[in-house]
Amino acid sequence: MVDEEIESSSTLHPPLDGTRRIRLDIAYDGTDFNGWGRQPNLRTVQGEIEQALASILRRYGPPPTLVVAGRTDAGVHATGQVAHLDLTDAQAGSLLRPDRGRNRGGERDAGTALARRLNGILSQKGDIVISRGSLAPEGFDARFGALWRRYSYRLADQTAVRNPLHRVNTTWHHSRLDGEAMDAAAASLCGLHDFAAYCKPRDGATTIRTLQSFTWERDVDGVLTARLQADAFCHSMVRALVGACVSVGAGKLDPGDPVALRDAAERTNAFMVMPARGLTLTQVGYPDDLRLAARAAETRQRRALHRSDAPIDATVATTATTDSAADRPRIANGVEVS
């Protein structure tokens, strides 16, 4: 299973003829899931949602499948996951029929109606919520259209208040950590680099990423929260980056070591990859509607070049930074600013 964004040989996902693309915004508690991606005989987020889709649309042909912005590993949570699916005209129409209570909410678009129906089924266990369903604009692709993904990681060290109500989304650490040193180390890691030292290797997958921002701060209860944003994250990258900073905070690594390890571009056991439970996918960013199709095509081309072992080319690898200013985060010294 995987952590965040996966590379694969898949192509773009244009809507099928005669279908309507639906965007789903999704939140879930990942504790009892074996990750996002469906797996035989295992409970997964994708599997649960697609099973609910099959139930709702059982009389209207094969059920749709989901394409997701970022696959998450077992135990990883989400408050801002995004996926898309394509409904046939018959499937979309069935959601809006007023007879037999199918459209109790009186929705006028299939996305809103589908979200309500899905939540009616998913609420039985309550660890998945469809935050919003909407008709996707033309060119929308949940995975390849994304400009960036944001994650947070919650960590309660020896000095923090340990709230049992947050036990499923917070990792507890036995010692006192230097949050300022961790924040400085995090900022030094930002930029366009090969993050092979922080990624589990996958055949045909690039480890070149643009880490746009990475910060640490303590809240009023003393809990340390990391916030990271990148164009995409490779397998185990977020939890490895967090682990390197924790080692700096604990005095096991010098402040400059995380960058030196990154630049060595080799997997290392110099730090621990942190547990999944502290990690949450919080938001996925997309360009304005007029740029959606172009962004998806650019991303797919860039991934294909990286899979062919091409050298880092800033004009290709930083495609996300060529979009309009409104689409870009503002970064100062490696830190996102508002």
Side-chain angles (χ1 to χ4, degrees):
M1 291 181 291
V2 302
D3 251 348
E4 294 88 38
E5 180 70 3
I6 296 182
E7 303 296 341
S8 76
S9 59
S10 63
T11 59
L12 288 175
H13 315 104
L16 300 173
D17 290 341
T19 63
R20 304 182 192 184
R21 177 152 293 181
I22 303 297
R23 169 176 168 163
L24 296 179
D25 292 77
I26 308 167
Y28 48 86
D29 173 356
T31 304
D32 294 330
F33 290 105
N34 288 275
W36 166 270
R38 59 179 175 272
Q39 301 179 66
N41 303 316
L42 293 175
R43 188 170 185 252
T44 68
V45 181
Q46 182 181 15
E48 290 291 295
I49 299 174
E50 289 185 349
Q51 184 176 341
L53 286 168
S55 176
I56 293 168
L57 302 171
R58 60 188 178 278
R59 297 181 180 178
Y60 299 93
T65 58
L66 296 170
V67 174
V68 73
R71 295 167 62 108
T72 49
D73 201 0
V76 177
H77 317 292
T79 57
Q81 181 67 277
V82 179
H84 78 246
L85 57 94
D86 295 329
L87 297 178
T88 66
D89 288 342
Q91 289 170 337
S94 74
L95 297 169
L96 300 176
R97 290 171 57 186
D99 60 311
R100 301 182 183 177
R102 285 190 178 89
N103 190 12
R104 290 189 184 92
E107 292 91 357
R108 295 185 177 184
D109 72 77
T112 303
L114 181 60
R116 179 180 57 80
R117 296 283 298 279
L118 285 171
N119 281 328
I121 295 174
L122 298 171
S123 64
Q124 295 176 25
K125 292 188 176 177
D127 48 7
I128 304 176
V129 173
I130 308 301
S131 308
R132 181 171 180 255
S134 57
L135 296 176
E138 183 177 355
F140 180 79
D141 185 302
R143 180 186 175 193
F144 288 114
L147 289 172
W148 44 260
R149 285 89 172 160
R150 287 178 183 164
Y151 282 85
S152 68
Y153 194 96
R154 285 174 50 88
L155 181 67
D157 68 355
Q158 189 180 60
T159 66
V161 175
R162 297 192 174 185
N163 186 341
L165 297 181
H166 289 292
R167 66 190 184 280
V168 300
N169 72 340
T170 306
T171 296
W172 291 354
H173 194 273
H174 58 84
S175 63
R176 181 190 179 96
L177 298 172
D178 184 341
E180 292 184 0
M182 292 164 65
D183 187 53
S188 71
L189 288 164
C190 292
L192 169 65
H193 301 284
D194 187 343
F195 285 93
Y198 295 96
C199 301
K200 290 184 179 179
R202 295 179 62 84
D203 291 340
T206 179
T207 51
I208 298 167
R209 292 290 187 267
T210 301
L211 183 59
Q212 298 165 342
S213 63
F214 185 9
T215 64
W216 284 92
E217 64 179 358
R218 282 190 192 271
D219 66 17
V220 293
D221 290 327
V223 175
L224 285 158
T225 300
R227 293 181 175 86
L228 306 88
Q229 177 175 304
D231 54 350
F233 291 94
C234 55
H235 186 196
S236 84
M237 180 175 165
V238 173
R239 293 190 289 131
L241 289 169
V242 168
C245 289
V246 169
S247 290
V248 170
K252 296 179 180 179
L253 290 179
D254 291 334
D257 286 345
V259 168
L261 292 169
R262 181 200 65 199
D263 293 345
E266 296 180 355
R267 289 288 288 178
T268 176
N269 60 1
F271 54 83
M272 182 180 71
V273 175
M274 298 298 287
R277 65 178 171 272
L279 183 60
T280 302
L281 171 60
T282 60
Q283 191 176 2
V284 182
Y286 294 92
D288 61 66
D289 291 357
L290 295 177
R291 286 279 300 151
L292 284 169
R295 169 61 185 173
E298 289 166 356
T299 303
R300 187 68 186 92
Q301 180 185 33
R302 178 162 52 95
R303 302 282 174 86
L305 286 172
H306 286 167
R307 281 196 295 274
S308 65
D309 295 325
I312 297 179
D313 180 347
T315 63
V316 175
T318 58
T319 303
T321 65
T322 65
D323 294 303
S324 68
D327 298 327
R328 297 196 301 266
R330 295 174 55 217
I331 307 297
N333 298 321
V335 178
E336 183 183 355
V337 295
S338 58

mmCIF file of all heavy atoms in Angstrom, residues 64-82:
data_model
loop_
_atom_site.group_PDB
_atom_site.id
_atom_site.type_symbol
_atom_site.label_atom_id
_atom_site.label_comp_id
_atom_site.label_asym_id
_atom_site.label_seq_id
_atom_site.Cartn_x
_atom_site.Cartn_y
_atom_site.Cartn_z
ATOM 1 N N PRO A 64 -19.948 3.561 -11.529
ATOM 2 C CA PRO A 64 -18.722 4.301 -11.860
ATOM 3 C C PRO A 64 -17.604 3.991 -10.873
ATOM 4 O O PRO A 64 -17.838 3.523 -9.760
ATOM 5 C CB PRO A 64 -19.164 5.765 -11.750
ATOM 6 C CG PRO A 64 -20.292 5.741 -10.763
ATOM 7 C CD PRO A 64 -21.004 4.430 -10.983
ATOM 8 N N THR A 65 -16.382 4.243 -11.303
ATOM 9 C CA THR A 65 -15.215 4.120 -10.429
ATOM 10 C C THR A 65 -14.668 5.507 -10.137
ATOM 11 O O THR A 65 -14.913 6.469 -10.869
ATOM 12 C CB THR A 65 -14.121 3.255 -11.073
ATOM 13 O OG1 THR A 65 -13.747 3.837 -12.326
ATOM 14 C CG2 THR A 65 -14.614 1.838 -11.305
ATOM 15 N N LEU A 66 -13.921 5.607 -9.058
ATOM 16 C CA LEU A 66 -13.397 6.884 -8.590
ATOM 17 C C LEU A 66 -11.959 7.096 -9.048
ATOM 18 O O LEU A 66 -11.150 6.165 -9.034
ATOM 19 C CB LEU A 66 -13.448 6.949 -7.066
ATOM 20 C CG LEU A 66 -14.831 6.912 -6.417
ATOM 21 C CD1 LEU A 66 -14.687 6.730 -4.913
ATOM 22 C CD2 LEU A 66 -15.603 8.186 -6.723
ATOM 23 N N VAL A 67 -11.632 8.321 -9.420
ATOM 24 C CA VAL A 67 -10.259 8.764 -9.648
ATOM 25 C C VAL A 67 -9.956 9.785 -8.567
ATOM 26 O O VAL A 67 -10.700 10.756 -8.393
ATOM 27 C CB VAL A 67 -10.091 9.386 -11.044
ATOM 28 C CG1 VAL A 67 -8.689 9.974 -11.201
ATOM 29 C CG2 VAL A 67 -10.352 8.343 -12.126
ATOM 30 N N VAL A 68 -8.869 9.594 -7.823
ATOM 31 C CA VAL A 68 -8.622 10.386 -6.620
ATOM 32 C C VAL A 68 -7.410 11.289 -6.789
ATOM 33 O O VAL A 68 -6.479 10.986 -7.556
ATOM 34 C CB VAL A 68 -8.438 9.455 -5.403
ATOM 35 C CG1 VAL A 68 -7.096 8.730 -5.452
ATOM 36 C CG2 VAL A 68 -8.598 10.211 -4.088
ATOM 37 N N ALA A 69 -7.409 12.405 -6.049
ATOM 38 C CA ALA A 69 -6.298 13.350 -6.119
ATOM 39 C C ALA A 69 -5.030 12.777 -5.504
ATOM 40 O O ALA A 69 -3.930 12.966 -6.030
ATOM 41 C CB ALA A 69 -6.676 14.650 -5.414
ATOM 42 N N GLY A 70 -5.139 12.082 -4.384
ATOM 43 C CA GLY A 70 -3.975 11.532 -3.702
ATOM 44 C C GLY A 70 -4.354 10.304 -2.905
ATOM 45 O O GLY A 70 -5.143 10.406 -1.967
ATOM 46 N N ARG A 71 -3.794 9.185 -3.262
ATOM 47 C CA ARG A 71 -4.070 7.950 -2.524
ATOM 48 C C ARG A 71 -3.389 8.028 -1.158
ATOM 49 O O ARG A 71 -2.259 8.481 -1.031
ATOM 50 C CB ARG A 71 -3.568 6.741 -3.304
ATOM 51 C CG ARG A 71 -4.297 6.525 -4.617
ATOM 52 C CD ARG A 71 -3.576 5.535 -5.506
ATOM 53 N NE ARG A 71 -3.481 4.216 -4.901
ATOM 54 C CZ ARG A 71 -4.180 3.149 -5.296
ATOM 55 N NH1 ARG A 71 -5.045 3.269 -6.286
ATOM 56 N NH2 ARG A 71 -4.020 1.988 -4.731
ATOM 57 N N THR A 72 -4.095 7.604 -0.129
ATOM 58 C CA THR A 72 -3.539 7.646 1.219
ATOM 59 C C THR A 72 -3.369 6.228 1.751
ATOM 60 O O THR A 72 -4.100 5.309 1.401
ATOM 61 C CB THR A 72 -4.456 8.447 2.164
ATOM 62 O OG1 THR A 72 -5.803 7.985 2.032
ATOM 63 C CG2 THR A 72 -4.411 9.931 1.829
ATOM 64 N N ASP A 73 -2.376 6.077 2.618
ATOM 65 C CA ASP A 73 -2.027 4.776 3.164
ATOM 66 C C ASP A 73 -2.946 4.417 4.324
ATOM 67 O O ASP A 73 -3.741 5.235 4.795
ATOM 68 C CB ASP A 73 -0.575 4.808 3.631
ATOM 69 C CG ASP A 73 0.043 3.424 3.745
ATOM 70 O OD1 ASP A 73 -0.648 2.430 3.460
ATOM 71 O OD2 ASP A 73 1.222 3.341 4.128
ATOM 72 N N ALA A 74 -2.821 3.193 4.789
ATOM 73 C CA ALA A 74 -3.595 2.736 5.941
ATOM 74 C C ALA A 74 -3.356 3.650 7.133
ATOM 75 O O ALA A 74 -2.209 3.971 7.468
ATOM 76 C CB ALA A 74 -3.202 1.300 6.286
ATOM 77 N N GLY A 75 -4.439 4.101 7.763
ATOM 78 C CA GLY A 75 -4.334 4.929 8.951
ATOM 79 C C GLY A 75 -4.240 6.412 8.695
ATOM 80 O O GLY A 75 -4.318 7.207 9.640
ATOM 81 N N VAL A 76 -4.060 6.842 7.443
ATOM 82 C CA VAL A 76 -3.967 8.261 7.119
ATOM 83 C C VAL A 76 -5.372 8.826 6.944
ATOM 84 O O VAL A 76 -6.242 8.192 6.348
ATOM 85 C CB VAL A 76 -3.132 8.479 5.841
ATOM 86 C CG1 VAL A 76 -3.097 9.964 5.466
ATOM 87 C CG2 VAL A 76 -1.712 7.950 6.036
ATOM 88 N N HIS A 77 -5.582 10.035 7.452
ATOM 89 C CA HIS A 77 -6.898 10.663 7.429
ATOM 90 C C HIS A 77 -6.986 11.701 6.305
ATOM 91 O O HIS A 77 -5.991 12.037 5.668
ATOM 92 C CB HIS A 77 -7.162 11.359 8.769
ATOM 93 C CG HIS A 77 -6.754 10.562 9.962
ATOM 94 N ND1 HIS A 77 -7.399 9.405 10.337
ATOM 95 C CD2 HIS A 77 -5.732 10.736 10.854
ATOM 96 C CE1 HIS A 77 -6.817 8.914 11.418
ATOM 97 N NE2 HIS A 77 -5.810 9.702 11.745
ATOM 98 N N ALA A 78 -8.174 12.231 6.101
ATOM 99 C CA ALA A 78 -8.370 13.308 5.133
ATOM 100 C C ALA A 78 -9.523 14.200 5.564
ATOM 101 O O ALA A 78 -10.544 13.709 6.046
ATOM 102 C CB ALA A 78 -8.642 12.751 3.739
ATOM 103 N N THR A 79 -9.328 15.490 5.400
ATOM 104 C CA THR A 79 -10.426 16.447 5.531
ATOM 105 C C THR A 79 -10.698 17.131 4.205
ATOM 106 O O THR A 79 -11.734 17.782 4.050
ATOM 107 C CB THR A 79 -10.116 17.518 6.593
ATOM 108 O OG1 THR A 79 -8.890 18.184 6.258
ATOM 109 C CG2 THR A 79 -9.990 16.888 7.975
ATOM 110 N N GLY A 80 -9.760 17.012 3.246
ATOM 111 C CA GLY A 80 -9.906 17.701 1.970
ATOM 112 C C GLY A 80 -9.560 16.849 0.772
ATOM 113 O O GLY A 80 -9.011 17.350 -0.217
ATOM 114 N N GLN A 81 -9.875 15.561 0.836
ATOM 115 C CA GLN A 81 -9.646 14.676 -0.318
ATOM 116 C C GLN A 81 -10.595 15.047 -1.452
ATOM 117 O O GLN A 81 -11.720 15.516 -1.207
ATOM 118 C CB GLN A 81 -9.876 13.218 0.092
ATOM 119 C CG GLN A 81 -9.654 12.193 -0.995
ATOM 120 C CD GLN A 81 -8.208 12.081 -1.420
ATOM 121 O OE1 GLN A 81 -7.746 12.869 -2.247
ATOM 122 N NE2 GLN A 81 -7.509 11.093 -0.874
ATOM 123 N N VAL A 82 -10.156 14.833 -2.698
ATOM 124 C CA VAL A 82 -10.972 15.120 -3.874
ATOM 125 C C VAL A 82 -10.921 13.931 -4.821
ATOM 126 O O VAL A 82 -9.853 13.358 -5.046
ATOM 127 C CB VAL A 82 -10.485 16.389 -4.609
ATOM 128 C CG1 VAL A 82 -11.347 16.662 -5.850
ATOM 129 C CG2 VAL A 82 -10.501 17.599 -3.681
#
